């Protein structure tokens, strides 16, 4: 097996639903033996494609597929400057594909290569939103009827849609919101939900870095009586030092990580036990190899996993999340996405969402494939995303 080498590395861009997805296919010297990996950085897909095709591919051709750790380390250091979202996503696409290949060669699912199952399926949370409390409640109850026991609740998307303060004249275009009005609306929402639902259902909320740090601390304290399963992204990564202040004042469980790119961001939060759930977007930190190490580090500090997994994680990325979920003792919860019919056409072998759980198939490797002809039917849109042009009520640019 050790003389099986990388023959080609290709990037497939596709958008079967509403998110631009980046998939890497690593083909080997063995006919028909290949692997797939997720490199999805949906806001910058073309930069990831170039990082793979123009730099990683020439570096990788002819190298042995079995040497995942050495290839990860040498891809990581090959650019000298490292640890950013574009290069990490590029590395992830190759890394996951190499794990897929190794599983196929071992005739084992990746979760078995990582230590075997700790559970039969991964409990999943879904996103309930609404224009008012009653509509949020309606969507929560709809998910409960489908068997979900963990539901993230937002009122009007990230930052809320409450009435804005009066802006100055001639403000710039953008997605406006009012942080203080949003912060006041969240306790009202959870008071309403708990009064109608009780406490058996696990409720979550994503601040999405939309508040000034001290207002996020005040919100977390106000939410304590509503016993959230976790409160996510209270601060932007640039304000990580506030986690210490929050932890000293509040017992609301905290989740953070989807915006993290490198160990300097997560290490203090883990080694000081300032968070309860780690939520990185695993392709953004470089794939399965670093994510498994991160899960193991978190286990030592009593921190559980809750890998990022909305619609702009590809089904291949969701499969990789799931193999980690199944084989990690300190699994917490998995963010879930209902794959559309088009996504399932493009990605045969999608994990199955049933009764609030995500189930893997028993196939070797990641257990998922990409149908390139189907993928070609759904070209990616181009250009920068609109929704990240967040502005507070007076027109100031805000972290999205
Ligand atoms: C989540 C995330 C997403 C991000 C999106 C950015 O908790 O799932 O906050 O909703 O906004 O992945 O592209
Ligand atoms: Mg989030």
């Amino acid at each position: 097996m050790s003389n099986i080498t990388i023959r080609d590395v290709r990037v497939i861009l596709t958008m079967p639903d509403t998110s631009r997805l980046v998939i890497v296919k690593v083909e080997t010297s063995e006919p028909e033996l290949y692997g797939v990996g997720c490199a999805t950085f949906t806001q910058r897909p073309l930069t990831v494609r170039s990082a793979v095709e123009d730099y990683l591919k020439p570096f990788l051709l002819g190298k042995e597929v079995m040497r995942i750790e050495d290839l990860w380390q040498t891809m990581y250091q090959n650019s000298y400057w490292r640890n950013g979202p574009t290069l990490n996503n590029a590395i992830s696409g190759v890394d996951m594909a190499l794990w897929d290949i190794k599983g196929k060669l071992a005739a084992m699912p990746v979760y078995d290569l990582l230590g075997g199952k700790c559970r039969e399926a991964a409990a999943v949370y879904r996103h309930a939103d609404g224009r008012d409390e009653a509509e949020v409640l309606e969507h929560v109850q709809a998910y409960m009827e489908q068997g979900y026991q963990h539901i993230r609740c937002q009122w009007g998307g990230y930052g809320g849609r409450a009435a804005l303060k009066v802006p100055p004249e001639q403000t710039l275009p953008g997605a406006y919101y009012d942080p203080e009005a949003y912060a006041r609306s969240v306790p009202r929402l959870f008071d309403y939900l708990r009064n109608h639902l009780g406490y058996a259902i696990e409720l979550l909320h994503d601040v999405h870095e939309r508040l000034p740090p001290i207002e996020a601390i005040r919100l977390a304290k106000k939410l304590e009586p509503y016993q959230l399963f976790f409160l996510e992204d209270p601060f932007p990564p640039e304000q990580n030092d506030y986690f210490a202040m929050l932890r000293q004042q509040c017992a609301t469980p905290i989740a953070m990580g989807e915006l993290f790119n490198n160990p300097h961001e997560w290490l203090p939060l883990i080694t000081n036990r300032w968070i309860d759930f780690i939520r990185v977007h695993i392709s953004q930190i470089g794939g399965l190899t670093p994510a498994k190490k991160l899960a193991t580090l978190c286990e030592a500090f009593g921190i559980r996993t809750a890998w990022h997994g909305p619609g702009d994680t590809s089904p291949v990325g969701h499969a990789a999340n799931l193999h980690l979920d199944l084989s990690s003792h300190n699994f917490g919860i998995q963010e879930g996405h209902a794959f559309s019919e088009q996504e399932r056409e493009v990605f045969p072998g999608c994990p199955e969402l049933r009764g609030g759980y995500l189930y893997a198939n028993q196939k070797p490797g990641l257990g998922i494939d990409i149908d390139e002809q189907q993928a070609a039917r759904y070209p990616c849109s181009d250009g920068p995303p609109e929704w990240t042009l967040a502005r507070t009520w007076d027109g100031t640019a805000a972290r999205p």
Side-chain angles (χ1 to χ4, degrees):
M1 280 194 202
S2 63
N3 58 355
I4 299 174
T5 57
I6 294 171
R7 176 174 56 81
D8 198 5
V9 182
R10 294 190 293 111
V11 175
I12 299 147
L13 301 183
T14 184
M15 191 169 79
D17 207 324
T18 54
S19 295
R20 301 182 292 201
L21 307 177
V22 185
I23 303 299
V24 173
K25 192 167 190 175
V26 173
E27 295 172 337
T28 76
S29 51
E30 283 292 288
E32 304 306 311
L33 176 63
Y34 64 87
V36 292
C38 179
T40 298
F41 177 7
T42 197
Q43 289 82 0
R44 293 292 184 272
L46 301 183
T47 59
V48 176
R49 181 173 66 181
S50 169
V52 175
E53 293 185 344
D54 298 331
Y55 297 100
L56 292 187
K57 175 176 175 178
F59 173 77
L60 289 164
L61 293 185
K63 290 199 166 63
E64 291 177 30
V65 298
M66 295 300 278
R67 296 177 181 259
I68 298 179
E69 182 67 27
D70 183 64
L71 286 174
W72 193 93
Q73 297 292 346
T74 49
M75 284 191 284
Y76 178 70
Q77 67 195 36
N78 181 257
S79 56
Y80 187 68
W81 278 277
R82 49 194 177 264
N83 273 325
T86 296
L87 298 180
N88 282 357
N89 271 286
I91 294 168
S92 166
V94 175
D95 178 73
M96 287 187 197
L98 293 173
W99 278 104
D100 190 22
I101 290 165
K102 194 178 278 287
K104 290 175 178 178
L105 286 169
M108 284 185 200
V110 168
Y111 58 72
D112 274 334
L113 299 179
L114 298 176
K117 280 184 175 178
C118 301
R119 56 196 65 75
E120 290 316 300
V124 163
Y125 74 85
R126 298 299 301 282
H127 297 177
D129 204 333
R131 288 159 299 183
D132 56 32
E133 303 98 316
E135 190 172 51
V136 178
L137 175 65
E138 187 188 316
H139 293 155
V140 170
Q141 290 167 326
Y143 278 128
M144 290 172 72
E145 281 157 25
Q146 295 173 42
Y148 293 100
Q149 305 169 98
H150 300 74
I151 298 159
R152 190 189 81 175
C153 306
Q154 308 291 132
W155 180 355
Y158 299 133
R161 293 290 173 273
L164 300 181
K165 298 180 186 69
V166 178
E169 293 157 9
Q170 285 122 31
T171 46
L172 293 169
Y176 280 74
Y177 76 101
D178 184 328
E180 291 75 26
Y182 156 60
R184 285 191 294 273
S185 73
V186 181
R188 270 181 31 221
L189 172 65
F190 284 95
D191 189 63
Y192 179 87
L193 293 172
R194 285 302 189 201
N195 286 338
H196 285 81
L197 297 166
Y199 285 75
I201 181 73
E202 302 299 344
L203 302 180
L204 304 75
H205 183 72
D206 190 349
V207 177
H208 213 270
E209 60 178 349
R210 289 300 185 98
L211 290 175
I214 195 63
E215 292 190 27
I217 291 174
R218 182 164 61 185
L219 174 61
K221 292 167 73 173
K222 282 186 176 177
L223 290 174
E224 267 194 329
Y226 303 111
Q227 296 178 30
L228 266 60
F229 184 76
F230 69 53
L231 182 69
E232 177 183 346
D233 288 17
F235 312 118
E238 297 86 350
Q239 299 301 341
N240 262 358
D241 288 349
Y242 272 93
F243 281 98
M245 196 185 295
L246 174 56
R247 201 52 146 193
Q248 287 149 13
Q249 301 185 42
C250 179
T252 295
I254 300 298
M256 182 72 182
E258 70 182 54
L259 275 160
F260 286 171
N261 302 293
N262 68 71
H264 310 303
E265 294 175 300
W266 61 71
L267 271 176
L269 277 58
I270 293 166
T271 56
N272 291 298
R273 297 175 174 86
W274 290 338
I275 59 171
D276 303 278
F277 294 88
I278 188 72
R279 264 193 51 71
V280 299
H281 179 92
I282 67 172
S283 65
Q284 190 159 320
I285 67 165
L288 266 169
T289 296
K292 181 61 192 167
K293 295 174 184 177
L294 177 54
T296 304
L297 171 70
C298 286
E299 181 184 343
F301 289 88
I303 292 163
R304 289 174 283 173
T305 66
W307 307 121
H308 186 238
D312 52 28
T313 297
S314 75
V316 175
H318 279 278
N321 282 342
L322 180 56
H323 283 272
L324 278 173
D325 294 342
L326 295 175
S327 59
S328 301
H329 171 67
N330 58 319
F331 166 73
I333 191 73
Q334 178 55 57
E335 182 174 15
H337 164 70
F339 302 118
S340 64
E341 192 183 323
Q342 295 90 321
E343 284 177 316
R344 284 198 298 274
E345 280 169 12
V346 175
F347 296 97
C350 276
E352 286 285 322
L353 256 184
R354 282 196 313 273
Y357 287 91
L358 194 63
Y359 290 86
N361 56 45
Q362 315 308 321
K363 293 179 183 168
L366 293 173
I368 192 166
D369 200 349
I370 183 165
D371 180 327
E372 293 193 48
Q373 285 179 322
Q374 291 293 338
R377 291 176 53 207
Y378 306 104
C380 279
S381 60
D382 51 22
E386 296 289 325
W387 71 271
T388 52
L389 185 57
R391 291 186 185 277
T392 53
W393 53 277
D394 68 348
T396 306
R399 292 284 177 269

